Structure formats: C-alpha cells, structure tokens
Amino acid sequence: MQRNILVTSALPYANGPIHLGHLVEYIQTDIWVRFQKLRGNHCIYVCADDAHGTPIMLKARELGITPEELIERMGREHREDFAAFGIGFDNYYTTHSPENRELSELIYTRLREAGHIDSRTIKQAFDPEQGMFLPDRYIKGDCPRCGAAGQYGDSCEVCGATYTPTELKNAVSVVSGATPEERESLHYFFRLQDFETMLKDWARGGHVQQEVANKLEEWFTEGLREWDISRDAPYFGFQIPGTEDKYFYVWLDAPIGYMASFRNWCDRHGEDFDAWWKADSDTELYHFIGKDIVYFHALFWPAMLHGAGFRKPTRICAHGFMTVDGAKMSKSRGTFIMARTYLNHLDPEYLRYYMAAKLGSHVHDLDLNLDDFTQRVNADLVGKLVNIASRSSSFINKRFDGRLAAELPAPALYRDFVARGEQIAEAYENREFSRVIRDIMALADQANQYFDEEQPWVLAKDARTLPRVQAVCTQTLNLFRVLMVYLKPVVPKIAAEAEAFLNVDAQDWQAVQTPLLDHTINRFKPLATRVEREAVDAMVEESRETLAPKGDAPAADSPLADHPIADPVDVDTFGQIDLRVARIEDAAVVDGADKLLQLTLDLGGEKRNVFAGLRAAYAPEDLRGRLTVVVANLKPRKMRFGVSEGMVLAAGPGGDALYILEPDSGAMPGMRIR
C-alpha cells in the first residue's frame, strides 16, 4: 500500500552560506526521500530558510540593506548550493511568508485560549545606544569565575562556567560597545510543563532514537520549564497578536515553517493540507535534525502541535556533527569548507556517496577523513562499480553493435542480486546507509569476480566462443543495472547517466525484476573518474583562513589583541596558586554541553574530576594519556553537569584554536610547577 510521507530537514539560517557540516543532514534526508519515492510511496520533502531573528536584522544593517533583501539573497544562494548537491526538495520556501504568519498566529492563539500562555515582567540587558534588548550572545565581558576576557553572556569558553549576563564583569554590547543597562520588559511564555505526561508517553513510544529518549528522560527528571516565546522591538519577525512591540521568538515560528512550506506546496498542487496535519491523520511526518536542536524538536514542537490540535511527528531523526580529519571544522586548517568551495574542486556525487558510507541510524558524529574519502571513492565508485560497466560495454559495443544477448548465462546469480534488494531496502528504511553501501559493494565484488572468472578477453580471441562473450557481458551489465538502481538514492546523477548508457527509462525499485535482454545499449561514457589528491588539497587551501599579520599592525589572532595583560599582582598573591602536573586518564564528551569535555585527572595518586571548555579544540581520544597543568587549589565548583575540581590551563584565542599547556616529558603527575 502506498504511504503518504511528509519529510523535513532543519531550516538553514538565512544569514550565511551552506557548508559541509550542514550537508550531512540534507544529504541524509534526500537519500531517504529518494528511496521512498523509488519504492513508489507518495513522499513530499519540504524545507525553508529560517529568516527571522536579531542576527538577520543586524547582518542586514551591517550590509546596508533591508532584512528582506538579505534573506532573498541568501535564499537564492542556498537553493543553488542545494541543487548542485542533488538535494531534491519538493518545496523550498522561507519562514518570512504569509502562510507562516497565519499558522504562527493560529497556533499561538489556540495555545493562549487553552491557557498554555503566561506573561510576566522580566529584567534584561539593554543597549542604550542602539535602543534594543540584547540576547545573551550579544553581550561580552570578563568571566565571573576565571576572569577570561571576551566571553559571551551565557558561558565561558575557557573554564566552561555558565552564568547570567548580569554576572559578567566589564560587560559590553557586541552591537555598539556600550555598557548594557538592566531594564524591565513584559514577556510571554509557553507553559511546556502542561504537556509533561503527553511528552513522556510520546517520547517512550518509539518516536525518537534511544539516545534521544535517554536525554529526554534526563530533562523530564530535571523538570520541564516554561519557555520565553517573545522578543522586544526592534526585531525582525512576526508581531504577536494583540501587542504593539512584541514579536515571536524565532524558535517559535521556525518549526511552524515546516507546515507553512508544505501549505505553500499544497496550494500549488491541489493537496489537502488539513488531511496531513489533523490530529488523527494517517499520514507520516519525519523530521531530520542535528542533535543540537533536539530540545526544540522533541519537547517544544510536539507540545505546541498537540496543544493547538495538530498531529505530532511520526519520528524525529537526529544526527551528530561532522568533523574533518578527526577534528572540529577549522578555518585556520582549511577544513571549514563551504559548499561552493567543494563544488569548485570536486564532484558533489562523491560527497553524497562518502557520507552515505559513514551514516547510520544513531546520533553519532561523522568524520570526513580526506584520505579515506579519496581512497573510498576511487576504490568503490570507480574501481568496483563503474568498472563493471566499462569493461563489459567495451565488448558489447565493439563486437556486437551494442546488442545484448537474448538470455542470461547465470540466471541464478541475477536472481540472487534481485533477492538482496529487500535486505537493502530495509537498511534504507531504517537509515542504515552505511550498511546499504556495504551490501551493494559486496555485490559489486561478486559481479567483478564473475567477469574475471569468465575471462571474456580470452574468449573473444576465438570466434567460436564469441556468443559466450556476449552472454557474459550481458550478465554483468544486468548486474550493474541492479546495483545502480539500489544506489540511485545515493548518487542520482550517476544513476541517471547509467540509465542513459543502458538506454532505459528512469528506473524504479521494481524495474530490476525483469532483466534487459535482446536490447541495444548506447556507447559507454565515463560515469565517474578518480579523485586526485591535488584537487582535495586545492579545496583545503582555498578554505584556509590566512592568519598572518599585515604590516606593523598586531595580528588579528595575537593573544594581546583581545586579551591585554591584566593588572600586576605581587609575588605573594601569585604564590597562593598551586599549579600541578596532571595526567589526563580519561576524557569524555559532556552531553548537553557544546563546549565542555569531562576530564579525569591523576595528580600523583589523587584523582580529580574537571570540566574544561576544550571540546572545540580536542577530541577526547586526543587528550587521553597526555600530561598537562592544572590549578589544584581552586575551590570545587558545582556546575549543571557535576562538580569541577580544578582548572586545566590552556592558551589561545579560544574555540578550536586552544592548546593545553604540557610540561616537559620528564615531569610526573603531582609535581608542583615552580
């Protein structure tokens, strides 16, 4: 029976270009959607630019254009990049649309009338020069815990502390440089706690991955809290009904943008929007998202939908982040790669294939290892798959005028390839794409082995065995056709070129049930060529951010540029700091914290637990076993994730350019730094 499936990807923000980290999600989603369509299901894939919020407003102001002009420009660039990577949206829209305004107001009004909206006066940081309230990330100052300068208003990248903007020392507005003032403002709140029972039942009903379900249980244990859904003017977004200067927070109308994009599609295609979104709909709804926005999609979103009388998601499919060569994407290393930069040097089908080979159904990070990328594409796509068609077609075109034989010499082998289709389909359905690739490449090995064992190049030397040559090559070309159908969701452009070569119409999943016999093929043209390492290196070099100083001016990344030397202290004060050598016995990612690693330190027999803001600079495995320096007499600090019993010393401007201090190799854990 044909399924009705609506699929979305998270909305890219309309103030910057698409990079390879973004593409993990869109490629994963597109592969799954293409598979569903190949199987004959009615599957609609919608997305949109996330076009509201303070960053959009300020970016437009910086460029001297209107927010509408900015989001139109970025939307056009996003569409071009996605199309180049074969992302086949049925509708790509914008959240700044009349459909989204109408649906946002409808959902808000229904929630308010049902008693799920509260209002109260809160205190916020206010920029007196710009006349605007400041989000936490638009305030910088000195960390109230460790004193590090240039930290944002919600957390410290150096010591990992979390705090409120009012706790920052020497706080300034990122927008104007003015000192923020504390002012009062009326805000509106969504009562998420009203939906706790429903959310627990929904989360435990198989609608999220196990890792996400575990995280939701932690949040349920902590207790659900109301959510601030309003922002003060000036703000680029939708005005809240019944107010004069209040706007919906971008995260309220962004997910509603899924509905708005679909409604726009429905209006143009005569589809019944309400049939898909009513509470008891028998359609399916899948959201593909990054793990960093699970809180919004697995708590607020289903609660908003339920409270407003709409259906909840069938499943939320979260994925991890992308690293490059084992580390966070970095501009200085040239691994923060924009989609357009990749396209300047490499075939987008190759990235689709490589990501599929690494993607599973779990919330795991994906590493783009550039050496492995080169080798896998060359070995699999070129050396195994395309090689089957290249070798077989040369005999068919030269010896038999492109005509395939009337029978298969090994029908059982063909039937085995066809039978494996259900196993591969199951893996696609469950988003186990790496298993799909393994199974297809195992079949490609079988096809190549059959060709090598039959040795058509030897048979072709004797006119009496020429019919066998035609039959063998007909067999391998039919096996190649099956493999291309199975791989079509992953490499649609190569698959289309293979269909043109085989002289067949666009193939669906069932097409392979009948082999191509007594059929004329076209001349073969290379479907994929080898990746040269020089092209990969050129891409990295183009992506590298130059950090060299210019002229006599201090370098932009100089430690003194943004962090001037602090006021002097006397030797007695400094002597109170107990610096010790420590060995990092273990390091682990802290769930729910983007910047922190949890370190287990050995200080010469004494174990310490320390949370350090090193996640952007180091993978846990890069730290285990290394010596470092720790402030050993720092008072233990209770954090949201546990108690931190010291501070690891590191140098650098922050982010991925942060380096732990390491003593000489002769130092031992527990030694005091003198």
Side-chain angles (χ1 to χ4, degrees):
M1 186 177 73
Q2 186 185 64
R3 296 158 61 190
N4 293 312
I5 309 170
L6 175 58
V7 182
T8 77
S9 295
L11 314 182
Y13 203 47
N15 72 334
I18 302 299
H19 57 69
L20 297 197
H22 291 130
L23 286 169
V24 172
E25 179 169 312
Y26 302 98
I27 288 175
Q28 181 189 35
T29 315
D30 185 74
I31 290 172
W32 197 78
V33 168
R34 287 181 182 274
F35 163 72
Q36 297 297 344
K37 293 182 176 182
L38 203 62
R39 293 280 280 184
N41 292 317
H42 183 38
C43 185
I44 308 300
Y45 180 20
V46 301
C47 195
D49 266 358
D50 185 0
H52 289 157
T54 302
I56 298 288
M57 179 182 71
L58 295 178
K59 182 70 172 179
R61 184 183 301 174
E62 175 190 330
L63 297 174
I65 59 178
T66 66
E68 289 83 358
E69 289 174 313
L70 173 62
I71 62 179
E72 174 60 29
R73 177 194 302 176
M74 293 311 307
R76 185 167 56 251
E77 292 181 11
H78 288 175
R79 286 179 175 89
E80 291 172 356
D81 287 346
F82 285 137
F85 280 90
I87 311 301
F89 299 114
D90 291 286
N91 197 49
Y92 192 86
Y93 205 37
T94 172
T95 58
H96 191 62
S97 70
E99 294 93 339
N100 202 28
R101 181 190 296 273
E102 179 185 337
L103 286 165
S104 296
E105 292 179 355
L106 173 66
I107 289 175
Y108 169 79
T109 300
R110 288 183 178 179
L111 293 174
R112 184 188 62 197
E113 291 175 349
H116 301 305
I117 302 294
D118 284 341
S119 63
R120 70 172 184 273
T121 299
I122 65 171
K123 293 181 179 180
Q124 286 183 284
F126 185 83
D127 185 327
E129 290 189 11
Q130 292 294 318
M132 61 181 289
F133 286 97
L134 295 168
D136 293 351
R137 299 296 285 179
Y138 282 84
I139 305 168
K140 275 191 172 182
D142 300 342
C143 172
R145 306 290 190 271
C146 71
Q151 300 306 307
Y152 288 110
D154 55 356
S155 62
C156 176
E157 292 185 347
V158 177
C159 72
T162 57
Y163 40 74
T164 64
T166 56
E167 295 179 88
L168 274 179
K169 298 177 181 177
N170 304 317
V172 296
S173 164
V174 173
V175 183
S176 69
T179 300
E181 300 175 357
E182 190 175 82
R183 295 193 183 181
E184 292 186 340
S185 175
L186 180 69
H187 272 234
Y188 295 84
F189 298 83
F190 172 55
R191 292 179 52 82
L192 180 64
Q193 62 270 32
D194 292 352
F195 300 91
E196 182 171 349
T197 300
M198 180 278 293
L199 287 170
K200 286 180 177 179
D201 292 340
W202 178 82
R204 295 164 184 169
H207 299 288
V208 296
Q209 296 129 297
Q210 189 58 52
E211 302 100 314
V212 174
N214 293 342
K215 192 63 188 177
L216 291 176
E217 290 296 336
E218 292 181 23
W219 288 329
F220 292 142
T221 300
E222 293 175 4
L224 301 182
R225 296 181 293 273
E226 59 186 8
W227 176 38
D228 189 342
I229 60 169
S230 62
R231 292 296 183 267
D232 294 275
Y235 190 81
F236 184 62
F238 295 141
Q239 190 169 332
I240 298 177
T243 71
E244 294 182 359
D245 60 351
K246 307 296 178 184
Y247 290 79
F248 287 128
Y249 175 42
V250 60
W251 262 110
L252 181 130
D253 66 68
I256 299 173
Y258 301 140
M259 303 173 73
S261 183
F262 183 63
R263 170 171 278 182
N264 177 263
W265 181 88
C266 287
D267 290 345
R268 291 184 291 106
H269 291 84
E271 193 83 28
D272 186 353
F273 174 86
D274 293 330
W276 288 73
W277 282 95
K278 62 184 180 180
D280 59 350
S281 175
D282 59 359
T283 60
E284 301 174 48
L285 173 62
Y286 290 80
H287 296 304
F288 286 74
I289 62 165
K291 64 182 180 181
D292 55 325
I293 53 176
V294 162
Y295 200 95
F296 293 100
H297 282 79
L299 289 178
F300 295 128
W301 180 230
M304 285 168 53
L305 289 170
H306 183 79
F310 291 105
R311 58 92 40 79
K312 296 183 289 295
T314 305
R315 191 166 182 87
I316 291 175
C317 310
H319 61 82
F321 301 134
M322 189 181 84
T323 56
V324 180
D325 287 340
K328 184 179 179 181
M329 294 169 63
S330 164
K331 292 180 180 179
S332 62
R333 291 193 296 268
T335 57
F336 195 95
I337 302 167
M338 297 301 170
R340 188 52 50 179
T341 306
Y342 177 97
L343 293 168
N344 291 340
H345 301 277
L346 295 165
D347 191 322
E349 297 272 290
Y350 297 167
L351 186 69
R352 290 178 64 101
Y353 179 80
Y354 187 77
M355 285 189 174
K358 306 274 278 191
L359 279 165
S361 61
H362 296 286
V363 192
H364 296 157
D365 290 348
L366 179 152
D367 184 52
L368 170 58
N369 182 288
L370 295 174
D371 287 332
D372 183 50
F373 166 79
T374 302
Q375 295 164 8
R376 190 182 292 258
V377 169
N378 292 343
D380 287 4
L381 283 181
V382 181
K384 290 183 182 181
L385 187 69
V386 173
N387 194 42
I388 300 170
S390 175
R391 294 200 293 171
S392 303
S393 63
S394 64
F395 290 102
I396 294 294
N397 284 319
K398 290 179 182 178
R399 302 276 186 166
F400 310 103
D401 295 325
R403 196 72 182 172
L404 300 180
E407 294 182 355
L408 293 178
L413 178 60
Y414 184 83
R415 289 194 297 271
D416 181 56
F417 270 50
V418 173
R420 292 286 291 276
E422 285 310 303
Q423 175 181 318
I424 293 171
E426 181 183 5
Y428 267 124
E429 180 66 41
N430 295 328
R431 307 183 316 286
E432 293 289 354
F433 298 157
S434 60
R435 200 182 95 196
V436 167
I437 299 301
R438 287 196 302 272
D439 288 351
I440 292 174
M441 286 303 137
L443 292 175
D445 286 335
Q446 285 185 247
N448 279 298
Q449 182 181 359
Y450 170 81
F451 187 88
D452 291 340
E453 289 175 350
E454 290 291 335
Q455 297 183 312
W457 60 92
V458 175
L459 297 173
K461 296 177 181 179
D462 188 337
R464 293 171 298 179
T465 53
L466 280 178
R468 180 69 181 178
V469 174
Q470 185 183 25
V472 167
C473 293
T474 296
Q475 178 82 36
T476 48
L477 284 172
N478 269 280
L479 299 180
F480 169 76
R481 171 172 166 258
V482 174
L483 297 179
M484 284 312 311
V485 170
Y486 293 163
L487 202 58
K488 189 174 180 178
V490 178
V491 285
K493 181 173 176 287
I494 293 175
E497 292 172 353
E499 289 166 349
F501 153 64
L502 293 171
N503 194 24
V504 294
D505 295 332
Q507 305 284 279
D508 62 18
W509 198 265
Q510 295 302 315
V512 300
Q513 297 296 325
T514 304
L516 287 178
L517 300 172
D518 197 20
H519 171 86
T520 300
I521 64 171
N522 293 316
R523 299 202 68 82
F524 178 80
K525 297 178 182 178
L527 302 175
T529 55
R530 289 178 55 83
V531 174
E532 300 300 334
R533 183 65 206 205
E534 290 78 7
V536 176
D537 292 340
M539 174 185 68
V540 170
E541 189 58 37
E542 185 181 336
S543 303
R544 197 182 307 277
E545 183 179 83
T546 301
L547 298 177
K550 297 180 181 179
D552 297 328
D557 63 334
S558 165
L560 299 183
D562 294 320
H563 305 287
I565 294 175
D567 294 336
V569 297
D570 59 45
V571 68
D572 292 332
T573 301
F574 178 76
Q576 296 175 23
I577 303 174
D578 190 353
L579 300 177
R580 300 275 176 164
V581 176
R583 186 181 304 281
I584 304 173
E585 283 197 346
D586 196 15
V589 169
V590 179
D591 289 338
D594 294 338
K595 304 168 187 173
L596 296 182
L597 292 177
Q598 183 174 7
L599 307 181
T600 302
L601 304 180
D602 175 11
L603 277 71
E606 180 186 350
K607 298 294 192 296
R608 294 281 186 91
N609 178 74
V610 170
F611 292 98
L614 299 170
R615 185 169 175 178
Y618 294 96
E621 57 269 20
D622 295 334
L623 292 174
R624 296 183 186 117
R626 293 172 67 169
L627 294 177
T628 189
V629 177
V630 62
V631 180
N633 64 334
L634 194 67
K635 290 182 179 180
R637 184 172 75 258
K638 186 176 182 180
M639 302 176 67
R640 181 157 59 98
F641 311 100
V643 177
S644 187
E645 303 170 307
M647 180 189 295
V648 169
L649 299 189
D656 61 2
L658 201 60
Y659 310 93
I660 62 168
L661 301 191
E662 294 186 88
D664 190 272
S665 58
M668 298 291 290
M671 285 184 174
R672 185 169 185 180
I673 307 296
R674 300 182 184 278

